[in-house]
Amino acid sequence: MNSLHAAGFPEREVRARARTGTAEVFPAAEGYGDGGGLYGAGGSPAPAPGGHPPHGPDALDRLRIVPPVFMPRRLEKLIDLGREPSYEDVELGGAVGGFSTALPLYLSAFGSTRAGSGDLALAATRQAARLGLPMVIGENMVPVHGYRRGEGEGVRSALLERIAVYAETVPDGLGGVVVQQSTEDADSEVWNLLYSDPGTRALRDSGRLGFELKVGQGAKPGLGGMTVVGAGEAGRLAGQFAVRDVFGDPERWLRCATPGTFTEEIVRQQLRFMRNNFPLARTWVKFHPGRDIGRAAAVAWAAGADAVTVDGAEGGTGWAPRVFLDQVGLPLGECLRRIAAPAGDLLATGRIWEGGRAVRALALGARAVGLGRAALVAVDEDPGHGLERLVEALALELRLLVSALGKYRTADLDPADLWDPATAPEPAAAPEPAPAGGRS
């Protein structure tokens, strides 16, 4: 029995570290992969400094969507249609990072984790394709799962299976597949393999193949990808990744990828390399929520990036240290504020699942928003149509909200459509009442 107690101090977490050591730096390994765990901001039970849980709305959620009284664009739409416009007249389609899409949405990267590489990922891929949404495939798929075309070699590898399912399902002229590359992927020449693969030729030649330079991710800024692997897989991957015993369990090992090293000039050169070597592929770059995100985005657009993705600190992940989930990186709303006026297509991710948060991100400059954890949860609920129904609900909310603002394209949203109670001015003082008995 414990004799000491420390009210107001995270005693439970300290005792857990005293019992299990480095294993407590991460969420419980038993919940990983087959246990169905998805992680992100607000999901860590450890409190923030001071002992207070960090859960609750972030700055983006606190913004109010504020329709005006006078709506000149509604009048323009009325004249154009010859009738009063409704929410059904809101146009949600357009260009996203060089691709055509019916909605300002895309499927975010899941990475090489079990949740992102198995049946759920294929279900999400199939439904995203039917919806005509662009799809990003995450890093380390080839180093972890290999590159097998399935022609006389058995089953196709996870990366190529997802691309094949998408290509077979997506409507003509819509969507696109974007494949990330990290340091370990570059060693495996992932982009070179895909660009020349007969299986991607139709996507490539129709302008629906893209490559994304991954600089970082929201759940663990400054760190590379991490997953939990078994003993056998740990031995196989040890030549390509750092594999470490941090759980004190011979059947569970931490696999760490390197984050890569970037400066302004390295990013510029990488993007020039991508444009020169893969001229038919769209060029994307993904940044973590760093304090210099405004400058990073500007450098990428100036170097010719078709899209810049900013992953807010609320972004989900397959695996991350607890301390990163709630204490590291800028929230998505602050990232968008620092970028301010995007010089190109800006894509935003970080706990997007419904129309209100999506509209706020779009009003702050994003061209489209990504569905990550929400997509996986939706297909876990219904592998056949769960993501489609989630997107249908989100699209209806988008139309209702954009119409209520007196606008009929998401591209017309702007910061004036939002009100931040944290920066609202004090109300003007009421005038002094006139003295009793008449005029002063």
Side-chain angles (χ1 to χ4, degrees), residues 164-198:
V165 166
Y166 187 94
E168 292 163 3
T169 310
V170 69
D172 290 341
L174 287 176
V177 173
V178 180
V179 180
Q180 286 182 354
Q181 182 168 283
S182 63
T183 303
E184 288 77 13
D185 292 307
D187 292 340
S188 299
E189 299 189 344
V190 172
W191 289 344
N192 287 326
L193 290 169
L194 286 172
Y195 196 74
S196 59
D197 194 310

Side-chain angles (χ1 to χ4, degrees), residues 22-55:
T22 56
E24 279 300 309
V25 172
F26 298 89
E30 292 79 5
Y32 176 79
D34 294 337
L38 297 175
Y39 304 92
S44 172
H52 301 292
H55 309 180

Side-chain angles (χ1 to χ4, degrees), residues 2 4-19 24 44-54 322-323 327:
N2 303 125
L4 292 177
H5 299 284
F9 187 78
E11 178 186 344
R12 182 184 62 182
E13 287 75 23
V14 172
R15 292 188 184 280
R17 291 183 174 213
R19 286 193 305 272
E24 279 300 309
S44 172
H52 301 292
R322 296 178 194 270
V323 69
Q327 298 184 38

Side-chain angles (χ1 to χ4, degrees), residues 25-297:
V25 172
F26 298 89
E30 292 79 5
Y32 176 79
D34 294 337
L38 297 175
Y39 304 92
S44 172
H52 301 292
H55 309 180
D58 61 13
L60 189 61
D61 284 337
R62 283 194 293 268
L63 295 173
R64 297 282 295 183
I65 299 166
V66 285
V69 175
F70 302 122
M71 299 182 178
R73 285 194 171 141
R74 180 170 289 177
L75 176 61
E76 292 174 4
K77 195 69 172 177
L78 182 154
I79 295 170
D80 180 52
L81 295 173
R83 60 169 172 79
E84 282 286 349
S86 77
Y87 72 88
E88 293 176 316
D89 297 309
V90 173
E91 302 169 18
L92 297 182
V96 173
F99 304 120
S100 296
T101 178
L103 298 164
L105 304 172
Y106 66 97
L107 189 64
S108 295
F110 301 147
S112 58
T113 62
R114 295 175 196 170
S117 305
D119 292 341
L120 290 182
L122 283 177
T125 295
R126 190 172 287 108
Q127 292 178 53
R130 288 200 294 257
L131 291 163
L133 303 183
M135 174 183 72
V136 183
I137 299 180
E139 63 177 342
N140 294 326
M141 293 288 283
V142 171
V144 172
H145 302 294
Y147 193 91
R148 301 179 304 278
R149 292 191 176 93
E151 301 170 357
E153 307 173 38
V155 180
R156 274 188 298 227
S157 57
L159 170 65
L160 295 182
E161 181 67 12
R162 287 191 67 188
I163 292 175
V165 166
Y166 187 94
E168 292 163 3
T169 310
V170 69
D172 290 341
L174 287 176
V177 173
V178 180
V179 180
Q180 286 182 354
Q181 182 168 283
S182 63
T183 303
E184 288 77 13
D185 292 307
D187 292 340
S188 299
E189 299 189 344
V190 172
W191 289 344
N192 287 326
L193 290 169
L194 286 172
Y195 196 74
S196 59
D197 194 310
T200 65
R201 186 171 299 151
L203 290 173
R204 184 197 68 187
D205 293 349
S206 63
R208 293 186 289 171
L209 178 67
F211 296 144
E212 182 172 76
L213 174 66
K214 183 179 178 183
V215 176
Q217 59 186 327
K220 39 186 179 288
L223 295 181
M226 293 180 173
T227 59
V228 181
V229 298
E233 194 174 5
R236 180 176 65 83
L237 296 174
Q240 296 171 285
F241 299 93
V243 180
R244 300 291 183 262
D245 175 15
V246 299
F247 303 113
D249 182 345
E251 294 304 316
R252 290 190 175 93
W253 295 73
L254 181 69
R255 188 225 74 191
C256 305
T258 55
T261 300
F262 296 94
T263 64
E264 290 188 18
E265 185 57 27
I266 289 174
V267 168
R268 279 192 286 264
Q269 293 295 343
Q270 287 273 29
L271 291 172
R272 288 171 187 153
F273 165 84
M274 294 165 69
R275 294 174 61 205
N276 290 336
N277 287 34
F278 312 112
L280 298 179
R282 304 301 182 185
T283 302
W284 290 22
V285 58
K286 179 177 182 179
F287 292 116
H288 62 252
R291 63 184 189 232
D292 52 354
I293 184 63
R295 178 59 186 160

